[in-house]
Amino acid sequence: TIIKELSAHIKKIHPNRPIVIGGPYPSTSPEDILSMDVDYAVCGEGEIPLEKMLSGEDPAAIRGVYSKKNGKLMGEGRADTITNLDDIPFPARDIFHYQEILDAAGPARIRVGTDIVTREDRGVPIITSRGCPYDCTFCSIHFVHGYHWRYRSAENVLAEIIELVQKYHVNQLAIIDDHLAGKRDRFITILDKLIELDLGLKWSTPNGIRVDYLDEEVMEKMKKSGCSSLVLGIQHGDPKMLETMRTKLDLSKVEEVVKIGSRLKLDMAAFFIIGHPGEDRKSFMRTIEYGRRLGKYGLKDFRINIARAYPKTKLFNYCKERDLFVKRDTENILIFPDDDGEANIKTEDFNPKELLWRRNYAKRKLMAVENNIYWNIVYYAERFKVKNLFKTLLPEGVWSMAKRFVYNMSKRDVAGK
């Protein structure tokens, strides 16, 4: 893995420097340090253990800190969590040369219709809360932050946002909480203050947001406060699969929220998971049908992921107990979306080949909600490997003009029908 390679390289240069790792993977599998050039793994949140270690306390006596001795793993439990998140200082961004990094990043490139356009963005992530009270089978966040949802005060969050805008000239904010809207009055206070301050800031929820905490009042304030992308955590279009995934989501609420968002002209996207054990071809097709219905209400961006069983999650344990993994080593589970290795689960209802077909079919059918003719042309051009040929033969300006012409003509045909 990258951690193995990086830690080995660091140890060669600095053999006497202790290396500490943290995050979701060490929190689920601290035993992995036995095969790495790593000295300590922190299981859970890192602030308290690291502060104690830097203060000179014996790591062996610190809860949540794992080490190795004579080839054996030492340590126990999960690190103590910070109850009052306002006690944590803002990130020391100057140490990491934030200003220089943002300056060097340059304009962002995004898709608008058929075109890739540049946009002058200075964007950073921010976290306003930790933990999640829900128990979805596929989620690994509880190993780090637990089930108890804790949140920063509205005043504390706004102070950091103001600092980001005034000191670092940030104009794009990615709020990556796992349960952003869990306390309605707090969320509304943040939104109202952003509207009042009028900082010229756009913000998004790339980690997704629970649909059942949204309503027209909240969404109107989100729009006015600068929400530029609202990603909905839907996961599936079959209620039975949602029960299996333990998401506790009512699909009728999703339709209501999508209709409101469309009316407010909010840019919306949705997460869907396919290939979770229990999904057969019929339940998969229900997701496609449901997604297309949401498309008629105004949802145009669908983010399709094949189910991945992160270590020690309920999904992982289920697959391990029933020998459902195609490849059993963690290296082949922790991969990126759109990689064919994503299909690492097999059941009586599907194998990897079937899952890759479902993923590609879902992308084609759900993207086609926006413009059925154009996206089917794109799908088959990529499938039969002629898209890159045209891109090579045609000058870039002609290629862009041709795409735009086909897109607009097919959109007109769809509207005419």
Side-chain angles (χ1 to χ4, degrees), residues 112-253:
V112 177
T114 64
D115 299 324
I116 302 298
V117 301
T118 58
R119 195 171 64 189
E120 294 294 335
D121 287 350
R122 289 174 68 86
V124 300
I126 186 175
I127 301 174
T128 79
S129 65
R130 291 181 178 179
C132 179
Y134 292 89
D135 196 24
C136 302
T137 58
F138 48 82
C139 186
S140 63
I141 195 62
H142 303 111
F143 294 100
V144 180
H145 296 306
Y147 289 90
H148 176 52
W149 185 62
R150 294 152 290 138
Y151 53 88
R152 296 164 55 190
S153 68
E155 294 74 20
N156 184 267
V157 173
L158 290 160
E160 183 178 7
I161 292 175
I162 291 169
E163 178 184 280
L164 287 169
V165 173
Q166 294 182 346
K167 185 174 181 179
Y168 299 99
H169 311 295
V170 165
N171 61 10
Q172 294 281 339
L173 207 61
I175 305 180
I176 57 176
D177 294 32
D178 293 289
H179 192 46
L180 173 62
K183 193 175 189 328
R184 179 185 174 84
D185 57 351
R186 166 190 175 266
F187 191 35
I188 286 180
T189 299
I190 293 172
L191 298 176
D192 282 341
K193 192 64 177 177
L194 286 175
I195 295 169
E196 178 188 331
L197 291 170
D198 192 19
L199 299 169
L201 185 75
K202 298 294 183 183
W203 60 274
S204 61
T205 62
N207 247 22
I209 191 169
R210 280 201 66 98
V211 180
D212 38 11
Y213 285 76
L214 302 177
D215 57 37
E216 187 157 9
E217 179 188 3
V218 169
M219 293 173 74
E220 282 182 350
K221 292 178 183 293
M222 292 172 74
K223 173 72 174 180
K224 290 178 182 177
S225 66
C227 181
S228 58
S229 174
L230 176 61
V231 183
L232 308 174
I234 301 173
Q235 315 310 356
H236 212 277
D238 184 346
K240 290 184 178 179
M241 282 306 303
L242 293 181
E243 288 180 16
T244 300
M245 294 177 175
R246 302 173 68 161
T247 64
K248 296 184 178 179
L249 181 64
D250 181 354
L251 289 178
S252 63
K253 174 67 174 178

Side-chain angles (χ1 to χ4, degrees), residues 219 256-268:
M219 293 173 74
E256 174 191 332
V257 164
V258 169
K259 289 177 182 177
I260 294 170
S262 181
R263 189 164 64 249
L264 295 173
K265 292 183 169 51
L266 266 169
D267 286 336
M268 295 176 291

Side-chain angles (χ1 to χ4, degrees), residues 311-349:
K312 310 294 173 64
T313 59
K314 288 178 174 59
L315 177 56
F316 178 91
N317 294 336
Y318 181 92
C319 293
K320 185 176 181 180
E321 289 167 4
R322 291 161 179 78
D323 195 25
L324 301 183
F325 288 129
V326 178
K327 297 179 180 178
R328 294 173 179 81
D329 56 304
T330 305
E331 183 80 11
N332 288 290
I333 297 171
L334 308 179
I335 43 70
F336 294 99
D338 289 331
D339 189 319
D340 285 352
E342 210 179 354
N344 194 43
I345 299 173
K346 65 182 189 307
T347 73
E348 61 182 15
D349 296 309

Side-chain angles (χ1 to χ4, degrees), residues 241 278-286 349-350 358:
M241 282 306 303
E279 180 188 78
D280 56 20
R281 183 69 77 92
K282 286 183 179 179
S283 61
F284 165 71
M285 292 306 297
R286 287 191 193 102
D349 296 309
F350 55 75
R358 289 185 191 182

